[in-house]
């Protein structure tokens, strides 16, 4: 369409970059159709859960104070539980982020003397302090919970014999991270997670299995809770918030596990009975309603980026043709200058703060500088189009999100445009 071509030109995308993008896109139609079918299924799954629980205008009423008999909050938790096929759910704006949700799930279900095992290698950075791998006040370790881990095999596979050897009488909970996060290991599929859970339970059926589901929700038609997880945990400013939730986290799982989480979040004896919804219910319901489509758009963006950048000779993880189990795309750009140009493009394509130039900075907790690009409506939201990465070998940017496929596409084309403008890429 000529109008599109003109509009992209107006936004600063050259004819050459636009054409290069269209060529790559032409080969992706089938994959995009498959993504749409998953989104269609998940959309129905969410609607069915809302209908079953008779969501109505009363659910959107704001509450304050203790929040006793908060119909909107209680119904939303039933909707999450039904959509993810669990007995119970804790979905609250009082859960401030994904790390907080994971910290609640772990500390509520591990007691002094218990051991936590990660069978898929080192968990996400922020969990190191929660667990006490890096010393921190109030870590699990400080409370007498020990930790052990089994690295993935060199090919990214699960080391079943290594796991068998590390399951001890005191092993109480196994934590499985679905997404690779900022590591270079492959993301696990739900089927792989199911096999791992079955293996753990075959050794000792009373071991609890928790899945860090961050960035994985709605990428497939099933979730880890469909394959035996006792708890799945995530952030509402990623996939399930659909870009509209301004804060929050969720824990879905067995009634026994979730009840303990609620007691840990509020106070023993109070549990899920307290916690006002503060008028956020419309965003949380509507965000969950949109989440399957939003996730689909982000996935299309990730696949488009891999196909564009791999063709230009940059290593992409996952690669252009691999199947997807989360929305994160890593692109190894090979130099600081290329990372800066890429991030400048993502920033320049944003609806918010598009005029800002992202620069590397000394972020606390990192041993090298970090560059980040994001022009988001919700601060720190990474279901919105964003890119970041540490300034060190292999100079990889981690790219994710896009509330719509069209915005993701513009962001990726703009990133390429900035690389061309900087003379780093020639088309
Ligand atoms: C984002 C993320 C977290 C932590 O989430 P925050 O909301 O940033 O605290 C944990 N695990 C994984 C795999 C993540 O991607």
């Amino acid at each position: 369409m000529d109008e599109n071509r003109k509009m992209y030109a107006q936004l600063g995308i050259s004819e050459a970059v636009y054409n290069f993008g269209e060529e790559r896109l032409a080969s992706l139609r089938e994959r995009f159709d498959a993504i749409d079918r998953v989104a269609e299924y998940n959309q129905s799954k969410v609607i069915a859960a809302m209908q079953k629980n008779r969501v109505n205008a009363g659910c959107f009423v704001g509450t304050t104070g203790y929040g006793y008999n908060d119909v909107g909050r209680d119904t939303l938790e039933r909707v999450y539980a039904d959509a993810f096929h669990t007995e119970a759910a804790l979905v609250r704006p009082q859960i401030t982020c994904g790390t907080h949700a994971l910290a609640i799930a772990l500390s509520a279900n591990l007691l002094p003397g218990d051991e936590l095992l990660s069978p898929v290698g080192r968990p996400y950075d922020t969990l190191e302090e929660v667990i006490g791998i890096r010393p921190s006040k109030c870590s699990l370790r400080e409370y007498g919970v020990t930790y052990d881990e089994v690295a993935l095999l060199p090919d990214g596979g699960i080391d079943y014999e290594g796991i068998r050897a590390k399951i001890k009488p005191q092993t109480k909970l196994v934590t499985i991270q679905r997404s690779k996060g900022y590591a270079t290991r492959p993301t696990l599929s739900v089927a792989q997670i199911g096999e791992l859970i079955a293996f753990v339970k075959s050794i000792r059926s009373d071991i609890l299995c928790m899945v860090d589901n961050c960035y994985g929700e709605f990428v497939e038609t099933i979730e880890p809770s469909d394959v035996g997880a006792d708890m799945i945990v995530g952030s509402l400013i990623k996939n399930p918030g659909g870009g509209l939730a301004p804060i929050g986290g969720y824990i879905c799982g067995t009634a026994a596990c979730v009840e303990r989480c609620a007691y840990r979040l509020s106070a023993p004896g109070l549990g899920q009975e307290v916690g006002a919804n503060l008028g956020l219910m419309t965003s949380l319901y509507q965000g969950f309603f949109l989440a399957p489509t939003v996730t689909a758009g982000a996935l299309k963006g990730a696949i488009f980026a891999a196909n564009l950048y791999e063709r230009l000779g940059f290593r992409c993880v996952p690669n252009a043709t691999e199947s997807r189990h989360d929305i994160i795309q890593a692109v190894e750009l090979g130099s600081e200058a290329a990372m800066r140009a890429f991030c400048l493009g993502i920033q320049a394509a944003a609806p918010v703060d598009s005029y800002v130039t992202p620069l590397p900075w000394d972020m606390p907790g990192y041993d090298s500088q970090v560059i980040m690009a994001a022009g988001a409506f919700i601060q720190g939201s990474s279901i919105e189009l964003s890119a970041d990465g540490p300034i060190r070998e292999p100079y990889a940017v981690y790219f994710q999100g896009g509330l719509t496929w069209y915005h993701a596409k513009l962001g990726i084309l703009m990133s390429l445009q900035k690389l061309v403008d900087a003379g780093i890429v020639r088309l």
Side-chain angles (χ1 to χ4, degrees):
M1 250 204 331
D2 255 16
E3 285 96 331
N4 267 337
R5 202 174 277 275
K6 273 189 216 136
M7 193 44 115
Y8 278 111
Q10 197 178 316
L11 286 164
I13 304 291
S14 69
E15 188 83 4
V17 167
Y18 179 78
N19 289 341
F20 187 70
E22 291 307 293
E23 278 162 30
R24 303 317 319 144
L25 257 187
S27 67
L28 293 176
R29 290 296 159 207
E30 245 172 68
R31 290 190 77 190
F32 280 22
D33 284 348
I35 290 170
D36 286 336
R37 282 194 294 276
V38 171
E40 190 174 351
Y41 178 90
N42 285 329
Q43 178 75 86
S44 302
K45 184 160 84 172
V46 168
I47 291 174
M50 291 191 174
Q51 292 180 348
K52 180 179 168 205
N53 289 289
R54 305 174 68 91
V55 172
N56 61 75
C59 295
F60 308 140
V61 174
T63 60
T64 54
Y66 293 108
Y68 290 134
N69 304 312
D70 188 325
V71 175
R73 175 198 70 203
D74 293 347
T75 305
L76 181 68
E77 291 181 336
R78 286 309 320 157
V79 167
Y80 264 72
D82 285 332
F84 292 151
H85 307 129
T86 58
E87 289 172 3
L90 187 65
V91 187
R92 304 274 166 137
Q94 285 81 10
I95 302 177
T96 52
C97 61
T99 304
H100 187 198
L102 289 157
I104 292 165
L106 291 172
S107 56
N109 288 284
L110 287 159
L111 293 174
D114 289 340
E115 183 153 294
L116 167 67
L117 176 68
S118 173
V120 292
R122 189 56 56 95
Y124 194 73
D125 296 51
T126 56
L127 284 188
E128 292 189 0
E129 282 171 279
V130 170
I131 295 167
I133 300 171
R134 274 187 283 136
S136 170
K137 294 181 197 88
C138 299
S139 69
L140 289 170
R141 187 189 166 131
E142 229 187 39
Y143 285 95
V145 174
T146 54
Y147 169 77
D148 208 346
E149 68 185 28
V150 181
L152 290 172
L153 295 168
D155 69 353
I158 294 169
D159 179 6
Y160 284 105
E161 283 324 300
I163 295 166
R164 187 192 298 282
K166 291 258 168 128
I167 292 183
K168 306 161 196 159
Q170 67 269 30
T171 304
K172 172 74 180 299
L173 193 151
V174 159
T175 179
I176 302 167
Q177 186 178 307
R178 178 173 176 178
S179 167
K180 65 183 167 304
Y182 295 132
T184 44
R185 72 160 170 93
T187 288
L188 301 173
S189 69
V190 174
Q192 275 176 300
I193 291 171
E195 278 166 34
L196 176 53
I197 292 172
F199 177 78
V200 169
K201 300 264 185 190
S202 77
I203 296 172
R204 274 229 340 266
S205 61
D206 62 333
I207 294 176
L208 299 173
C209 293
M210 182 195 87
V211 176
D212 175 350
N213 209 24
C214 282
Y215 286 130
E217 299 90 353
F218 298 122
V219 172
E220 301 184 39
T221 54
I222 53 171
E223 300 292 337
S225 44
D226 291 306
V227 294
D230 296 285
M231 285 184 281
I232 58 172
V233 183
S235 163
L236 299 196
I237 62 168
K238 293 180 181 171
N239 308 16
L244 296 186
I247 190 169
Y250 76 88
I251 301 167
C252 296
T254 64
C257 284
V258 171
E259 186 181 31
R260 292 194 67 92
C261 294
Y263 276 29
R264 177 51 67 226
L265 172 65
S266 57
L270 300 183
Q272 287 184 271
E273 305 291 321
V274 297
N277 75 48
L278 304 172
L280 299 176
M281 283 298 111
T282 311
S283 317
L284 267 56
Y285 278 97
Q286 204 172 355
F288 197 53
F289 173 78
L290 292 176
T293 326
V294 170
T295 303
L299 264 180
K300 289 176 185 174
I303 291 170
F304 180 52
N307 277 269
L308 212 69
Y309 279 99
E310 201 171 272
R311 174 53 73 103
L312 293 167
F314 298 100
R315 179 165 177 259
C316 293
V317 185
N319 71 27
T321 54
E322 260 171 90
S323 69
R324 301 277 161 160
H325 308 294
D326 69 9
I327 62 167
I328 301 176
Q329 181 62 53
V331 184
E332 294 181 4
L333 291 166
S335 73
E336 175 175 344
M339 287 179 79
R340 284 177 181 243
F342 185 101
C343 288
L344 183 62
I346 297 296
Q347 193 73 40
V352 180
D353 294 335
S354 62
Y355 49 87
V356 169
T357 301
L359 293 173
W361 63 295
D362 294 305
M363 194 175 158
Y366 285 80
D367 54 4
S368 48
Q369 289 199 311
V370 175
I371 188 164
M372 299 182 154
F377 295 103
I378 305 289
Q379 191 206 101
S381 167
S382 48
I383 187 60
E384 297 186 49
L385 192 66
S386 46
D388 45 69
I391 308 282
R392 60 165 184 245
E393 289 281 346
Y395 299 98
V397 287
Y398 294 84
F399 158 91
Q400 67 267 312
L403 294 184
T404 69
W405 147 239
Y406 307 108
H407 179 217
K409 177 180 176 182
L410 174 64
I412 294 154
L413 291 177
M414 194 65 88
S415 70
L416 178 56
Q417 184 68 54
K418 298 297 180 190
L419 282 158
V420 170
D421 292 348
I424 296 166
V425 166
R426 228 182 308 272
L427 292 178

